[in-house]
């Protein structure tokens, strides 16, 4: 009987490998929430042992949990540890065996990067799909890697499309709260068992937004001041002068690594522009995927265009502002824009004291402008500042 057909868990009569290659095993599970890492590791390790059993033994195991395959190998915690081990112990390693291509690699670029490291230290790469070591000089193996990469990328895109489409429909048609921290002015309460029966059996519950008695009046005040013609900076300054707790102060867990700076112009603008205060559920205002990943591997959140937002067709939670007032607040020009006029001679105006003058009361640098056709300077405190 072929040793690879031997039942798992029962020692073979001849357990001595024909060769004595020393393998490092690498496997990966996407998440702890939706996969059982122990089961995933077990079957990947079993596949690897069946592949390498007649040629050597696995001397070290590196199993990744909760790290996307989109992350380069040198930025994955366990993969990076394995590469460091190879660099420090090249004479003790003969090959790296991967449990499954799609678990380990996103595309051929990651394979090339790993190949460069392994060839530097004389280490082979073994794949179950190649039924042994990968021969990068073999056209058949090159074609196989290209096919596996295409299949892996297709699976990523297909999974992403399924998830994004489902979440969009859950928002638009059901108005379901899909996670994330609640916007300032709301808090989360239990909304019953999860509609997915498998998740409900595991105790997963739905949540919904309700007005926070402490902070919802502040949101309503912000909109009322805006509708009265106040600038975002003026609103922020008013809240600071009245010692109204800012979002960071009201909920310290939101930004536990930051010192509370009080209300800022940006904070007020974010609140005024959030349609969730009309009672409609909103999803996909921001995104963070591999296209926005920084060189360090961290995903950076970016603001999506308005046409990409998913907004519920019905009221999903108690509104803090009417839809008409929300739309009106978006169109108000609270500060007068200074229109720069051209010099009669075709050149720009020259302000000899620009950047040199400061307000004697607040210390802010004054702005240059034209007054009765002449150069003038003024302090814009109260129009562009949020601090007293």
């Amino acid at each position: 009987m072929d040793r690879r057909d031997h039942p798992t868990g029962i020692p073979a009569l001849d357990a001595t490998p024909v060769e004595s290659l020393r393998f490092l095993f690498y496997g990966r599970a996407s998440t702890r929430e939706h996969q059982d890492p122990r089961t995933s590791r077990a079957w990947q390790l079993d596949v690897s042992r069946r592949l390498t059993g007649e040629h050597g033994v696995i001397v070290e195991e590196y199993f990744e949990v909760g790290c996307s395959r989109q992350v380069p190998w040198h930025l994955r915690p366990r993969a990076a540890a394995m590469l460091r081990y190879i660099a420090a112990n090249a004479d003790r390693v003969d090959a790296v065996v991967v449990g499954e291509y799609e678990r380990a690699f996103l595309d051929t670029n990651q394979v090339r990067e790993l190949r460069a490291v392994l060839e530097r230290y004389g280490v082979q790469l073994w794949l179950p799909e190649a039924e042994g070591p990968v021969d990068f000089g073999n056209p058949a193996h090159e074609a196989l890697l290209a096919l596996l990469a295409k299949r892996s990328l297709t699976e990523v895109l297909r999974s992403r499309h399924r998830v994004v489409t489902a979440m969009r429909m859950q928002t638009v048609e059901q108005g379901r709260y899909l996670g994330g921290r609640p916007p300032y002015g709301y808090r989360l309460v239990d909304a019953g068992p999860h509609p997915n029966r498998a998740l409900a059996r595991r105790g997963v519950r739905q949540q919904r937004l309700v007005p926070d008695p402490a902070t919802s009046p502040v949101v309503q005040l912000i909109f009322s001041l805006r509708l009265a013609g106040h600038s975002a900076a003026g609103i922020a300054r008013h809240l600071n002068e009245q010692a109204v707790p800012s979002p960071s102060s009201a909920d310290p867990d939101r930004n536990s690594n930051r010192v509370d700076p009080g209300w800022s112009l940006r904070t007020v603008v974010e609140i005024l522009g959030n349609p969730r205060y009309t009672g409609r559920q909103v999803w996909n205002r921001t995104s963070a995927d591999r296209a926005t990943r920084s060189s360090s591997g961290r995903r950076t959140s970016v603001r999506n265009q308005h046409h990409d937002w998913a907004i519920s067709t019905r009221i999903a939670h108690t509104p803090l502002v009417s839809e008409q007032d929300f739309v009106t607040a978006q169109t108000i020009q609270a500060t007068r824009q200074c229109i720069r006029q051209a010099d009669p001679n075709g050149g720009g105006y020259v302000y000899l004291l620009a950047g040199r003058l400061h307000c004697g009361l607040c210390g802010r640098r004054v702005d240059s402008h034209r007054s009765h056709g002449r150069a003038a300077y003024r302090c814009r405190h109260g129009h562009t500042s949020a601090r007293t």
Side-chain angles (χ1 to χ4, degrees):
M1 180 175 67
D2 191 334
R3 186 178 185 277
R4 288 173 292 183
D5 298 328
H6 198 80
T8 303
I10 302 178
L13 294 178
D14 182 11
T16 304
V18 177
E19 303 177 37
S20 57
L21 297 179
R22 294 156 299 182
F23 290 89
L24 301 183
F25 161 75
Y26 179 81
R28 188 186 68 85
S30 299
T31 62
R32 293 185 183 273
E33 293 79 8
H34 304 293
Q35 293 181 352
D36 181 3
R38 293 175 299 178
T39 302
S40 183
R41 171 189 168 277
W43 72 256
Q44 292 181 58
L45 186 56
D46 180 66
V47 168
S48 301
R49 283 174 173 165
R50 288 176 179 270
L51 178 66
T52 63
E54 296 181 354
H55 306 279
V57 294
I58 295 176
V59 296
E60 292 286 344
E61 299 177 17
Y62 296 87
F63 192 73
E64 208 88 61
V65 179
C67 187
S68 171
R69 57 183 153 180
Q70 299 174 0
V71 178
W73 273 55
H74 67 279
L75 296 178
R76 304 179 192 178
R78 298 302 295 156
M82 185 183 70
L83 296 178
R84 290 194 299 268
Y85 180 87
I86 293 174
N89 305 275
D91 57 336
R92 301 180 184 178
V93 181
D94 299 305
V96 170
V97 59
V98 171
E100 184 186 50
Y101 180 96
E102 291 187 22
R103 294 280 174 170
F105 302 106
L106 173 69
D107 51 31
T108 53
N109 290 332
Q110 292 183 352
V111 179
R112 292 194 198 99
E113 293 173 359
L114 179 61
R115 172 190 176 184
V117 176
L118 297 184
E119 289 185 342
R120 184 188 312 163
Y121 298 104
V123 177
Q124 297 177 336
L125 174 63
W126 284 50
L127 290 176
E129 294 85 353
E131 299 181 347
V134 177
D135 182 0
F136 291 100
N138 186 332
H141 280 203
E142 289 285 355
L144 174 64
L145 291 176
L147 176 63
L148 292 173
K150 187 67 175 178
R151 190 175 68 179
S152 178
L153 185 58
T154 300
E155 177 61 24
V156 170
L157 296 176
R158 185 171 58 184
S159 299
R160 177 181 175 83
H161 176 72
R162 286 199 301 260
V163 171
V164 169
T165 301
M167 296 181 75
R168 181 174 292 277
M169 290 302 100
Q170 289 170 358
T171 300
V172 174
E173 297 180 359
Q174 303 174 26
R176 189 189 301 181
Y177 174 77
L178 298 179
R181 64 189 185 186
Y184 179 80
Y186 286 102
R187 60 187 178 91
L188 292 173
V189 296
D190 183 80
H194 197 281
N196 184 307
R197 284 183 290 181
L199 294 177
R201 283 195 296 268
R202 290 166 50 188
V204 179
R205 311 278 295 180
Q206 285 194 103
Q207 293 180 305
R208 62 185 179 89
L209 297 172
V210 298
D212 184 347
T215 57
S216 58
V218 180
V219 174
Q220 295 170 328
L221 173 62
I222 290 173
F223 276 95
S224 65
L225 291 174
R226 183 64 165 177
L227 294 174
H230 293 272
S231 68
I235 296 173
R237 189 176 63 259
H238 173 77
L239 296 174
N240 285 323
E241 290 173 347
Q242 298 300 315
V244 176
S246 69
S248 296
S249 177
D251 184 6
D253 293 336
R254 294 175 76 93
N255 296 293
S256 57
N257 60 330
R258 298 181 183 178
V259 177
D260 178 27
W263 287 90
S264 67
L265 184 149
R266 182 187 178 101
T267 304
V268 173
V269 169
E270 286 292 321
I271 290 176
L272 290 171
N274 192 343
R276 291 172 109 179
Y277 293 116
T278 65
R280 298 186 185 272
Q281 192 57 267
V282 183
W283 176 77
N284 202 40
R285 291 182 69 209
T286 61
S287 61
D289 56 23
R290 66 190 180 108
T292 64
R293 190 185 302 279
S294 66
S295 57
S296 63
R298 181 179 180 182
R299 293 184 176 185
T300 304
S301 180
V302 297
R303 178 60 53 86
N304 293 326
Q305 298 294 326
H306 289 106
H307 58 76
D308 292 326
W309 296 4
I311 303 178
S312 63
T313 55
R314 62 179 178 83
I315 300 299
H317 48 263
T318 304
L320 298 184
V321 62
S322 69
E323 292 187 354
Q324 176 155 1
D325 285 348
F326 178 82
V327 173
T328 302
Q330 311 309 304
T331 61
I332 290 178
Q333 288 292 334
T335 57
R336 185 175 301 171
Q337 299 295 329
C338 182
I339 302 177
R340 187 173 183 177
Q341 300 177 350
D343 186 276
N345 298 325
Y349 291 122
V350 177
Y351 297 93
L352 298 178
L353 300 180
R356 300 172 181 269
L357 300 180
H358 293 78
C359 176
L361 296 178
C362 68
R364 285 168 55 91
R365 184 174 295 170
V366 300
D367 294 344
S368 307
H369 76 115
R370 303 298 294 181
S371 177
H372 303 290
R374 296 182 299 176
Y377 306 89
R378 61 183 174 182
C379 176
R380 296 288 288 167
H381 180 67
H383 295 273
T384 60
S385 59
R387 306 300 300 180
T388 301

